[in-house]
Amino acid sequence: MNSSFWAYEGSTPELLCGRAADYLIGNNHLPLLICAISVLGGVLKVILKNHEVTVLIILSLLGSVLGQLAYYFVEVHRVVYPLLRTPSYSLYCCFIPLITFMVSLDLDFHILRNVFWQVSLTGLISIFAELIVTGYVVVRFNENSWDLQCCIFFSIALSIIDPFHSASSLKTIGISKMYTDFFRGQSLILCSVMHIFFGVFRGASDASNTFRELHLVLGVVMDILGSIICGYCCARVIEFILTDPFNNSLTNIILSISLVYMTFYTAENFGMSGIVALITVGLNLDSLSFKANMEHVITKFLMMFASIYEHLIYTFLGIVVGCGEIEYFKFHAIVFSLMLFVTVNCVRVITTLAVTPILMHLGREYNWQLGMVIAWSGIRGVYSLLLAPDVYNLAEQKVTAPHLFIFFIQAVSLLTMGINSYMMTQSAKTLGLCVISLPRQRVIQNVIHHIQQIRQNTIALFKTEKLTTNVNWTLVEQKTKIEYAIPSDNRRVSSLLCDDETSECPTDEVLIEEAKLHVAIMQMSSFEKQCNDGLIGVEASRTLIGATKIYCLIQEKFMSIYDVSTYVRSRSWLIMFKNILTYMEYHKEKGAFVLPGVNKFILFVYRIVFSEEFEYAANIITFMYIYPLIIHLWPMARKLNESALSSINYYFLFLYVLQSTLKLIILRKKYFKQHWNSLDFIIMLVGLIDALVLYCVLLRPDNLFLIQFTVTLGYLRIIRLLPLFKLVIPILINTIDVQIKKHLSLVYSITKGYAKSQEDANVLVKQISGRESVYQKLHDILEKNKHDAIKELGFIEHENRDIVIALKTKQVVRRVFAKAQKHLTFLWSRGIMDRNEAVSMHKVFLNKIKALNNFPMVAPPPTADQYLSNIIWMENKDVLIEFFKERTKLAYFDYNDVICKEGEMPLGIYIIISGMASLHSSSPTFGIDCIERPELEEETLFTEYWSSGQLLGELSCLLREEVKYTAICETTLQAFFISLEDLYEGFDIFWPSLEYKIWLNFALHIAYQYFEPNIADEHLTFQNCMANKRAYVESLPIYTEMNINTVDMKFVIIVYGNVINSATEELYFAPCIIPKTCNQIQGSVDITKLLIIQASEPDSTDHGSSIVSPGLLRAKKEQQGKKKDKVTHLAIGINVSSCGY
């Protein structure tokens, strides 16, 4: 390592860019200089917004002025002297790691992998062309006395493209992230290659021994492969530390920055490339590698430090340039700087346009418009500047003006930042890379329209509040009016509504292709949310996101659960290893062979070859040869037993020849179709050649070539042990199968997360879709994918019941603690709990969550008693459980058995214990006649898959109507059966609460299935509704009116049947949320059930036992009325019979 900024070999570094420090060195003012530069850079950045290059120019000029003042004034020289004494490599190690990590963290690994070959080809061709042309220009037109080595090093440093600025100007104009990652990926690859080059020469100059080719090769291998392995391991360590739930935000920020530098210094200390290691770390970390919402905070801090570092680098190097001899700054220096700027840009434009046809052939993502923008992306920055001092330090012949290296690179850097950034932006706008497509514009309009509807509904809701009666609603309408217009640079056409014939209107296929990308984004967002909520693990979420990013690029292809399974299998090394072993597994040929005639010898050989004893004998021969081979490979033992080894070799060679001959006689051409037979034949040939060469050595013992060839063939005898692996392969396959089964929990989590993402995407697509036909197609695709995923879940659960039960149990525990943490945060924010108390309780929760890492992989299934207690409407009450336990029967069904058929009267309720059933039905009617809703007349078949824990026939038993679906067993199935008579007996004994509870459970299920985005914040659970009366079920018979109080009733949801608006006579069909504008409704069918969610939770602290649900009161009245009618009919019957008597 150099001891000063400029290192002079064999002398103390006292001469610093002009004059030495001929005074007594006092206090160190470098911290003051750093703080002043940071403050000045921040002030300039605030004043000159969006003009970063102007800020850097000002700081560079101020640094040069400060350097000139230091050259002539001792007082200023004292301030900058510590900087001049700082080695250039120290500045490199201080600034480069954080900037590199920030850039690589912003890159998407999957996008970079898809365009890796295009990026590598463009970058390498461009960099080699720039090195050759720039080197020629430097040698030919530079007036300074630079030798060839300095010119090469200078050309390499000047050719490095800054990944920090190569795409920063494109982010503000709406260009696709795939393009920005293309630019940054290319820059990072070139930076890593050039920094490896400088690192090799830096290590060679520091080494005491001479530079050898072997050291060069080993150094490059360590810089590439070793750095990648080191970076991957460090990424896993960083992820483990940053995901620790006990770390707060400040701790994560400090750890992130410190671990970045630790990774860099560790790699550099062990002879690897710290830059490559940090790039690997950044690519292996994503949003799931941090705690929820922490990636954005850490990225902000990294950007802040990167900006400060950039200001310091340009100012520091400006000071170094200013401290140099001013007599070297002539007019030629300015002309030469402009010449370098023109050269690097012209070469890049020509090479990029030359390789564009090849890249367009390699991938459809690349086009000539992108090539034009890439041609202007050669922006130089801090990477080139920090390597500029090494041009002088690594050169053998020292020049008299080393500061000119920095001056030329800094000038080209500022020119490219200003001119190339502007040209990139204008090219992208002109060539249409930032144009929003027509389908995308339509989506934006639909989103704006949806936001407008939300705004109007919010204002209508506020108008009903008592405290806002005197608000000026006209002014509210004006101030909240949202007007958003797509920028003209991003628009392709002015009209998107397709009202006239001249307007361009996209087809359904184009809209669906655009919607596929939006669905992919929705799915990835759903995966992250599920991971943060504890529904799926980090590995499952990362796998799903990776699969989505790959399959969303395939045209006319929506990712299905089978595609995800293929992706998982391709990434699993266990499955790949098993496939290799399966391919190598030995399969004995036992097919029918046509034997010529009745030759007894052929029949005898046939029986020998296909006998078990023949296979055992071959394996025993291989085992027996292990001991002679060890003696042969041991030189001392070989000399003592030469004659014995020779005889043993001939004996075993005879056995190999005999084995192959017998198989060839019977199998003939089919002999070589078995890989192990081919290996045996090769072993036989090598043995015969070995014996022949040994015989030739005996004839010509003075031939050196034959002796060396004999020794080589002797070592090749080790291949005779390879057939032993065919005995180990079946054992390895069985072992891997056991390990694969242990990973089924990951597969289950992946499938479950995929099914939930399809449901979430379906809800969001409905809100932003602007064309009914497109929405219907998307709805059908998402529903089919969801049903396929649920079917796969059922199969996985049936085949691996204990593993799935353990995983489900763990996930439920995680969700319980997540809910508890949210409630704790709420109580803390409202001042109910003290901060210290909340922190202590939070640590208790975190300890419990961390303990889940040791949760067992398998768990026993619930018993019969536990299944009954798990039924939610039994509320784990012993009376109900004992009542139904005595009446429950265990039912068994085989594959393809019909449990119940559509149109038949229900026999009772089936509680699935194990297995899976498919439910086939027409469109759900929710008690609505098809005449009232014509769209229900369409014969659309729906298929659902139900597995353990779910109930069949619940609604049909409640309504006493025919079953609305056909349930068919997809696997063998076990279920508890509660007959209809026993259920009605329970209704009579536990009236009316039992029937009401079943209706409440059904209503909550329908509400969450169709209106989860609306009621997600209500925290409606069955226990909460029964205990606190947060929501209740209300029955509305036909012709019965009901007033809706919008103050007390937050939501009124029709879960079964339909009602009519008394004022407008508008019909509302289930499932539906009644609008806030409706004040009175009337039942229009015999049975209508409403779920009413109250606006505020009733106070249950006092007189909690006296609070009874309004729906339960009505249910009691109905039950009393039914009993009264029954008594009346009985009395009438008695009177009639007595009169007849």
Side-chain angles (χ1 to χ4, degrees), residues 80-366:
V80 301
Y81 182 74
L83 171 64
L84 301 178
R85 290 281 300 179
T86 303
S88 59
Y89 185 70
S90 298
L91 294 180
Y92 170 84
C93 295
C94 178
F95 295 131
I96 282 295
L98 201 66
I99 299 176
T100 303
F101 175 72
M102 188 202 69
V103 175
S104 58
L105 185 63
D106 190 49
L107 272 179
D108 192 300
F109 172 74
H110 300 280
I111 295 178
L112 184 61
R113 184 177 64 177
N114 291 336
V115 296
F116 177 77
W117 293 112
Q118 293 94 315
V119 167
S120 302
L121 183 61
T122 308
L124 293 178
I125 293 177
S126 176
I127 200 69
F128 282 117
E130 288 184 18
L131 285 176
I132 296 173
V133 178
T134 306
Y136 173 78
V137 171
V138 173
V139 173
R140 178 71 176 80
F141 298 100
N142 185 24
E143 292 184 351
N144 299 285
S145 56
W146 294 357
D147 62 346
L148 181 61
Q149 190 180 33
C150 284
C151 294
I152 294 175
F153 283 148
F154 178 79
S155 301
I156 294 173
L158 187 62
S159 301
I160 298 176
I161 300 174
D162 188 2
F164 184 62
H165 286 286
S166 60
S168 57
S169 61
L170 300 177
K171 285 188 173 182
T172 58
I173 62 175
I175 198 169
S176 173
K177 190 177 187 301
M178 184 182 68
Y179 295 147
T180 58
D181 285 353
F182 191 100
F183 301 144
R184 289 192 167 180
Q186 182 191 59
S187 305
L188 275 178
I189 292 175
L190 297 182
C191 280
S192 60
V193 171
M194 294 307 170
H195 282 265
I196 287 174
F197 179 84
F198 269 93
V200 170
F201 275 89
R202 191 185 294 116
S205 63
D206 292 339
S208 58
N209 57 349
T210 58
F211 188 79
R212 298 178 180 177
E213 291 78 3
L214 179 60
H215 293 165
L216 174 63
V217 174
L218 292 178
V220 173
V221 171
M222 286 294 293
D223 282 334
I224 299 176
L225 298 180
S227 301
I228 292 175
I229 296 173
C230 176
Y232 179 81
C233 297
C234 291
R236 300 282 74 84
V237 174
I238 291 173
E239 181 178 358
F240 175 77
I241 295 175
L242 294 182
T243 53
D244 189 354
F246 289 95
N247 295 338
N248 54 28
S249 301
L250 181 60
T251 304
N252 283 332
I253 294 171
I254 296 173
L255 285 175
S256 299
I257 297 175
S258 59
L259 289 173
V260 166
Y261 283 99
M262 182 63 68
T263 302
F264 178 82
Y265 293 135
T266 302
E268 291 286 335
N269 186 53
F270 286 96
M272 295 175 285
S273 173
I275 296 295
V276 177
L278 285 179
I279 293 174
T280 307
V281 170
L283 291 176
N284 280 277
L285 296 179
D286 50 22
S287 59
L288 300 175
S289 303
F290 305 90
K291 291 199 301 184
N293 303 323
M294 274 306 303
E295 184 192 18
H296 179 70
V297 178
I298 293 177
T299 304
K300 286 293 183 183
F301 271 89
L302 293 176
M303 291 182 64
M304 179 187 70
F305 280 107
S307 180
I308 294 174
Y309 284 179
E310 192 176 30
H311 294 167
L312 293 175
I313 290 170
Y314 276 86
T315 309
F316 283 173
L317 296 182
I319 293 173
V320 174
V321 172
C323 288
E325 299 287 344
I326 196 172
E327 62 186 20
Y328 293 101
F329 295 102
K330 301 178 182 178
F331 180 73
H332 176 267
I334 301 176
V335 174
F336 187 67
S337 300
L338 295 175
M339 189 181 300
L340 291 174
F341 167 73
V342 174
T343 301
V344 294
N345 279 290
C346 289
V347 174
R348 185 167 179 82
V349 169
I350 294 173
T351 54
T352 303
L353 295 180
V355 299
T356 294
I358 303 175
L359 299 178
M360 291 175 64
H361 179 72
L362 289 177
R364 66 181 182 86
E365 299 88 2
Y366 197 95

Side-chain angles (χ1 to χ4, degrees), residues 970-1124:
E970 295 291 332
T971 62
T972 56
L973 186 141
Q974 294 181 0
F976 286 128
F977 175 69
I978 302 176
S979 66
L980 192 63
E981 292 78 9
D982 294 333
L983 184 64
Y984 287 165
E985 183 182 355
F987 288 167
D988 292 335
I989 295 176
F990 304 101
W991 71 272
S993 60
L994 182 58
E995 184 176 1
Y996 172 79
K997 291 174 185 177
I998 299 177
W999 271 116
L1000 178 60
N1001 182 42
F1002 170 77
L1004 292 175
H1005 173 73
I1006 295 297
Y1008 272 106
Q1009 181 179 0
Y1010 290 93
F1011 310 109
E1012 183 177 2
N1014 303 87
I1015 63 174
D1017 298 332
E1018 302 298 326
H1019 305 294
L1020 298 178
T1021 61
F1022 182 85
Q1023 293 80 4
N1024 189 21
C1025 294
M1026 291 299 300
N1028 301 326
K1029 317 305 180 287
R1030 186 73 175 85
Y1032 60 91
V1033 176
E1034 188 74 32
S1035 298
L1036 190 64
I1038 189 171
Y1039 304 130
T1040 304
E1041 293 185 347
M1042 173 182 169
N1043 294 325
I1044 298 178
N1045 187 358
T1046 56
V1047 177
D1048 298 332
M1049 301 178 181
K1050 188 172 184 179
F1051 293 104
V1052 179
I1053 304 175
I1054 310 174
V1055 295
Y1056 192 84
N1058 59 285
V1059 299
I1060 186 172
N1061 191 333
S1062 300
T1064 62
E1065 296 185 356
E1066 181 182 359
L1067 285 172
Y1068 302 121
F1069 300 99
C1072 171
I1073 298 179
I1074 297 178
K1076 296 290 183 180
T1077 55
C1078 181
N1079 297 320
Q1080 189 180 60
I1081 57 177
Q1082 179 182 340
S1084 56
V1085 291
D1086 293 334
I1087 301 176
T1088 299
K1089 296 291 182 178
L1090 307 174
L1091 177 65
I1092 299 175
I1093 303 174
Q1094 301 191 58
S1096 60
E1097 188 171 342
D1099 186 10
S1100 59
T1101 56
D1102 297 327
H1103 311 288
S1105 59
S1106 62
I1107 298 178
V1108 182
S1109 171
L1112 193 56
L1113 289 175
R1114 182 179 291 274
K1116 287 183 177 181
K1117 292 179 181 179
E1118 292 178 357
Q1119 188 72 10
Q1120 291 174 357
K1122 292 178 182 179
K1123 287 192 173 184
K1124 189 178 294 184

Side-chain angles (χ1 to χ4, degrees), residues 314-580:
Y314 276 86
T315 309
F316 283 173
L317 296 182
I319 293 173
V320 174
V321 172
C323 288
E325 299 287 344
I326 196 172
E327 62 186 20
Y328 293 101
F329 295 102
K330 301 178 182 178
F331 180 73
H332 176 267
I334 301 176
V335 174
F336 187 67
S337 300
L338 295 175
M339 189 181 300
L340 291 174
F341 167 73
V342 174
T343 301
V344 294
N345 279 290
C346 289
V347 174
R348 185 167 179 82
V349 169
I350 294 173
T351 54
T352 303
L353 295 180
V355 299
T356 294
I358 303 175
L359 299 178
M360 291 175 64
H361 179 72
L362 289 177
R364 66 181 182 86
E365 299 88 2
Y366 197 95
N367 49 46
W368 69 270
Q369 294 93 335
L370 180 60
M372 290 297 298
V373 179
I374 292 176
W376 291 104
S377 64
I379 301 175
R380 275 63 178 172
V382 295
Y383 287 81
S384 298
L385 280 174
L386 289 175
L387 289 180
D390 280 342
V391 176
Y392 173 80
N393 294 332
L394 298 179
E396 295 180 359
Q397 181 180 353
K398 305 301 180 181
V399 298
T400 56
H403 55 283
L404 289 181
F405 295 129
I406 301 177
F407 172 76
F408 291 138
I409 293 179
Q410 193 166 12
V412 174
S413 171
L414 294 173
L415 287 172
T416 52
M417 278 190 189
I419 299 175
N420 288 30
S421 298
Y422 175 79
M423 292 301 299
M424 281 180 66
T425 305
Q426 294 302 317
S427 300
K429 291 180 178 179
T430 305
L431 299 176
L433 289 181
C434 57
V435 171
I436 301 176
S437 61
L438 291 176
R440 176 65 177 165
Q441 294 181 46
R442 186 175 292 276
V443 169
I444 294 175
Q445 287 188 347
N446 294 334
V447 171
I448 295 172
H449 179 68
H450 181 67
I451 294 174
Q452 294 283 11
Q453 288 182 341
I454 294 176
R455 180 186 68 89
Q456 294 174 0
N457 294 336
T458 304
I459 293 175
L461 179 62
F462 286 163
K463 286 181 179 180
T464 61
E465 297 182 0
K466 295 179 180 179
L467 298 178
T468 57
T469 54
N470 56 349
V471 172
N472 188 344
W473 294 108
T474 304
L475 187 60
V476 171
E477 291 278 355
Q478 294 176 356
K479 294 298 183 181
T480 58
K481 187 176 182 181
I482 302 174
E483 295 181 356
Y484 176 80
I486 300 174
S488 57
D489 293 333
N490 296 343
R491 285 188 297 176
R492 182 169 295 173
V493 292
S494 59
S495 177
L496 295 171
L497 299 178
C498 304
D499 294 332
D500 53 2
E501 297 179 355
T502 60
S503 299
E504 182 181 357
C505 186
T507 61
D508 286 356
E509 289 74 15
V510 176
L511 291 174
I512 289 177
E513 186 65 25
E514 183 75 19
K516 183 188 71 174
L517 301 177
H518 294 281
V519 170
I521 296 173
M522 296 173 190
Q523 289 177 344
M524 289 187 286
S525 177
S526 175
F527 299 146
E528 290 193 16
K529 185 177 183 300
Q530 292 179 60
C531 180
N532 295 331
D533 293 341
L535 297 177
I536 59 176
V538 175
E539 188 63 27
S541 179
R542 184 175 287 120
T543 303
L544 285 167
I545 291 175
T548 305
K549 289 180 178 179
I550 289 178
Y551 283 101
C552 72
L553 299 177
I554 303 176
Q555 288 185 342
E556 300 179 0
K557 173 70 175 177
F558 281 82
M559 184 181 68
S560 65
I561 188 60
Y562 307 110
D563 297 327
V564 178
S565 301
T566 303
Y567 177 77
V568 173
R569 285 195 296 269
S570 65
R571 293 181 74 248
S572 175
W573 68 271
L574 285 173
I575 296 178
M576 293 175 62
F577 188 44
K578 180 186 175 182
N579 293 335
I580 295 173

Side-chain angles (χ1 to χ4, degrees), residues 646-657:
S646 178
S647 301
I648 292 173
N649 181 47
Y650 289 135
Y651 173 71
F652 279 98
L653 181 59
F654 169 74
L655 294 177
Y656 290 140
V657 172

Side-chain angles (χ1 to χ4, degrees), residues 526-672:
S526 175
F527 299 146
E528 290 193 16
K529 185 177 183 300
Q530 292 179 60
C531 180
N532 295 331
D533 293 341
L535 297 177
I536 59 176
V538 175
E539 188 63 27
S541 179
R542 184 175 287 120
T543 303
L544 285 167
I545 291 175
T548 305
K549 289 180 178 179
I550 289 178
Y551 283 101
C552 72
L553 299 177
I554 303 176
Q555 288 185 342
E556 300 179 0
K557 173 70 175 177
F558 281 82
M559 184 181 68
S560 65
I561 188 60
Y562 307 110
D563 297 327
V564 178
S565 301
T566 303
Y567 177 77
V568 173
R569 285 195 296 269
S570 65
R571 293 181 74 248
S572 175
W573 68 271
L574 285 173
I575 296 178
M576 293 175 62
F577 188 44
K578 180 186 175 182
N579 293 335
I580 295 173
L581 293 177
T582 305
Y583 177 77
M584 295 172 58
E585 189 176 8
Y586 177 71
H587 300 284
K588 188 176 179 181
E589 295 285 350
K590 291 186 178 181
F593 294 93
V594 179
L595 300 177
V598 289
N599 192 319
K600 294 183 178 181
F601 176 75
I602 297 296
L603 293 175
F604 177 72
V605 173
Y606 177 82
R607 294 190 186 97
I608 291 177
V609 170
F610 288 102
S611 64
E612 295 292 337
E613 291 80 3
F614 185 81
E615 297 295 331
Y616 294 151
N619 295 330
I620 291 173
I621 291 172
T622 307
F623 271 112
M624 290 174 60
Y625 190 71
I626 294 177
Y627 181 70
L629 181 63
I630 294 174
I631 296 177
H632 175 78
L633 296 177
W634 191 1
M636 185 178 297
R638 184 172 64 245
K639 289 182 180 180
L640 298 175
N641 302 277
E642 287 185 357
S643 58
L645 288 175
S646 178
S647 301
I648 292 173
N649 181 47
Y650 289 135
Y651 173 71
F652 279 98
L653 181 59
F654 169 74
L655 294 177
Y656 290 140
V657 172
L658 178 63
Q659 175 189 359
S660 300
T661 304
L662 292 177
K663 285 188 175 182
L664 279 169
I665 292 173
I666 299 301
L667 299 177
R668 298 181 182 180
K669 294 182 179 180
K670 291 185 179 181
Y671 175 82
F672 294 101

